[in-house]
Amino acid sequence: MLMEERQKKGSSLVFAVNGQRFELPCIDPSTTLLQFLRSETCFKSPKLGCGEGGCGACVVLVSKYDRKLKKVEDFSVSSCLTLLCTLNGCSITTSEGLGNTRDGFHSIHERFAGFHASQCGFCTPGMCMSFFSALVNADKGNKQDPPQGFSKLTSSEAEKAIAGNLCRCTGYRPIVDACKTFAADIDIEDLGFNSFWKKGDSKEMKVSKLPPCDPTKNFSTYPEFLKSESATNLDSSRYPWYSPVSIEELRSLLNSNVTENDASFKLVVGNTGTGYYKETQRYNHYIDLRHIPELSIIKRDQTGIEVGATVTISTFISFLKEESKINFGSYRKLVSDKLAYHMEKIASPFVRNSASVGGNLVMAQKN
């Protein structure tokens, strides 16, 4: 099928927020997820702080369903940078979806409150979602089951989970302590002042007094009704948004009438570069590169590693860490370790989860 035909047979933009279905017949493709949440929904916990992906006040959890592998992928993102049109078929969870006064709070909320890890509260929802993302993904791992009351996160992982989430008033000790209460390897005596424990409590008593740890709190991050939605391309007659599925389609699109009459277009993967270099130009068309297989694979052979331009930085870091385990004791292990260590210095976890390797390089070269 020709791309023009496939795009015209595309669907409306459909996604879910905290289990609630949204279908948008048309929308400005430059609209961010944060703009939509705060102006069109009742879910106001994500805040606009820096607008650059640098503070974490706007962090939410995005969940995608992989139809081939039949599994859900969960990751945190900056909603102030994430374009709404990239979320077709996705589920978004905010702090209200995690827990609220009506349905009860999640243990993350309760432990944050108990360890006095929130004062003004502006940054707290984003921190909770960053940590929840780490908690959910750790629970999917192959680590052995933790003791009762703890998660599969280590103390170090719990601390890194909120890297990039900034707080101006609380101080990071109580915030980190609240997160570390979930770590199975933490020495409970190292944790600070809180409202759960009394002087003289034994370690066992202290653990039992913590709000119970249940990473998913008996709810699914991806509602079943979304799995039956057809994840087709957006209708190009209603959205100036194109999703080529091959290099050939991309090439023909760039040579088509989309780029005629001085029409401007933007190549999109994670859109995180707009946090660093502000855009004043408005674009007529957006081209989403994430669905082109050739650009989203990582290949390894005797000559080295080939990385697709749309591979996210987080995905590449995970690959390098696995590569390090495979090539234990070799020079490749050293290279993999050093490169992964360096790439973890780039931005924050919730930015790396959607930022692409190619986009990062092009942004630096372009500017």
Side-chain angles (χ1 to χ4, degrees):
M1 185 185 295
L2 294 175
M3 180 172 180
E4 290 80 2
E5 296 176 8
R6 190 165 55 77
Q7 293 281 169
K8 288 177 181 177
K9 289 184 179 180
S11 64
S12 297
L13 177 59
V14 177
F15 56 92
V17 181
N18 297 331
Q20 182 178 338
R21 185 181 186 275
F22 288 88
E23 181 172 352
L24 306 181
C26 59
I27 193 168
D28 185 333
S30 66
T31 304
T32 65
L33 172 58
L34 182 64
Q35 290 170 339
F36 176 80
L37 289 174
R38 294 199 59 84
S39 63
E40 304 296 332
T41 77
C42 61
F43 307 116
K44 312 291 186 184
S45 65
K47 308 296 196 301
L48 177 62
C50 64
E52 299 176 351
C55 71
C58 69
V59 171
V60 299
L61 183 81
V62 170
S63 305
K64 291 183 178 181
Y65 182 62
D66 190 319
R67 296 177 186 278
K68 290 182 179 178
L69 300 177
K70 303 292 183 185
K71 69 176 185 178
V72 176
E73 179 188 2
D74 302 291
F75 53 95
S76 57
V77 300
S78 284
S79 61
C80 72
L81 299 177
T82 304
L83 295 177
L84 199 59
C85 286
T86 63
L87 299 173
N88 192 28
C90 294
S91 174
I92 295 94
T93 305
T94 69
S95 187
E96 296 97 334
L98 193 58
N100 52 67
T101 53
R102 184 189 64 214
D103 304 319
F105 289 104
H106 194 278
S107 55
I108 294 176
H109 294 141
E110 294 175 325
R111 295 191 191 190
F112 262 66
F115 273 82
H116 314 290
S118 178
Q119 285 188 30
C120 78
F122 189 88
C123 65
T124 308
M127 286 195 178
C128 288
M129 296 317 298
S130 284
F131 189 71
F132 179 64
S133 174
L135 208 59
V136 168
N137 284 300
D139 194 53
K140 294 177 183 177
N142 297 322
K143 297 179 183 177
Q144 64 182 27
D145 291 336
Q148 188 72 26
F150 296 99
S151 73
K152 293 182 180 180
L153 281 174
T154 65
S155 178
S156 175
E157 289 169 343
E159 193 169 336
K160 287 180 179 178
I162 54 169
N165 288 83
L166 305 184
C167 177
R168 295 290 295 273
C169 53
T170 305
Y172 291 101
R173 173 63 192 268
I175 295 171
V176 171
D177 278 355
C179 294
K180 284 184 175 180
T181 61
F182 290 88
D185 63 344
I186 188 65
D187 183 347
I188 212 85
E189 300 295 337
D190 288 341
L191 300 177
F193 180 72
N194 63 82
S195 62
F196 299 121
W197 305 333
K198 292 180 180 178
K199 188 175 181 180
D201 282 347
S202 65
K203 287 187 178 181
E204 293 74 18
M205 182 64 72
K206 288 180 176 179
V207 173
S208 68
K209 285 185 174 181
L210 290 172
C213 171
D214 182 1
T216 55
K217 198 182 172 238
N218 298 319
F219 76 89
S220 172
T221 57
Y222 196 89
E224 285 296 320
F225 67 79
L226 269 185
K227 293 180 181 178
S228 61
E229 297 279 357
S230 57
T232 56
N233 293 306
L234 299 179
D235 184 349
S236 60
S237 64
R238 288 183 284 159
Y239 311 85
W241 186 277
Y242 304 85
S243 302
V245 295
S246 67
I247 294 291
E248 290 70 27
E249 275 196 12
L250 174 62
R251 187 178 291 116
S252 64
L253 183 62
L254 294 175
N255 292 325
S256 68
N257 56 9
V258 169
T259 56
E260 289 179 356
N261 302 319
D262 295 324
S264 59
F265 65 90
K266 181 177 182 178
L267 301 178
V268 175
V269 179
N271 196 52
T272 57
T274 56
Y276 197 79
Y277 294 106
K278 298 300 180 185
E279 292 182 345
T280 56
Q281 177 185 0
R282 288 191 61 84
Y283 295 94
N284 304 110
H285 305 280
Y286 287 71
I287 301 175
D288 187 352
L289 302 178
R290 295 172 305 144
H291 305 285
I292 302 175
E294 299 96 320
L295 298 184
S296 59
I297 59 173
I298 304 177
K299 292 192 295 187
R300 181 185 65 216
D301 57 27
Q302 295 298 321
T303 61
I305 300 171
E306 183 179 327
V307 186
T310 65
V311 171
T312 66
I313 295 173
S314 289
T315 300
F316 188 41
I317 290 172
S318 297
F319 173 85
L320 289 170
K321 288 181 176 179
E322 288 300 315
E323 179 78 0
S324 175
K325 294 177 184 177
I326 295 170
N327 293 287
F328 183 78
S330 69
Y331 176 72
R332 292 177 78 162
K333 169 180 167 55
L334 176 64
V335 173
S336 298
D337 284 343
K338 293 292 184 182
L339 192 52
Y341 176 78
H342 171 73
M343 295 195 78
E344 284 183 328
K345 304 292 185 185
I346 299 172
S348 303
F350 46 81
V351 172
R352 295 195 295 266
N353 287 339
S354 50
S356 66
V357 175
N360 187 265
L361 295 171
V362 170
M363 182 181 72
Q365 193 73 21
K366 176 184 175 184
N367 293 284

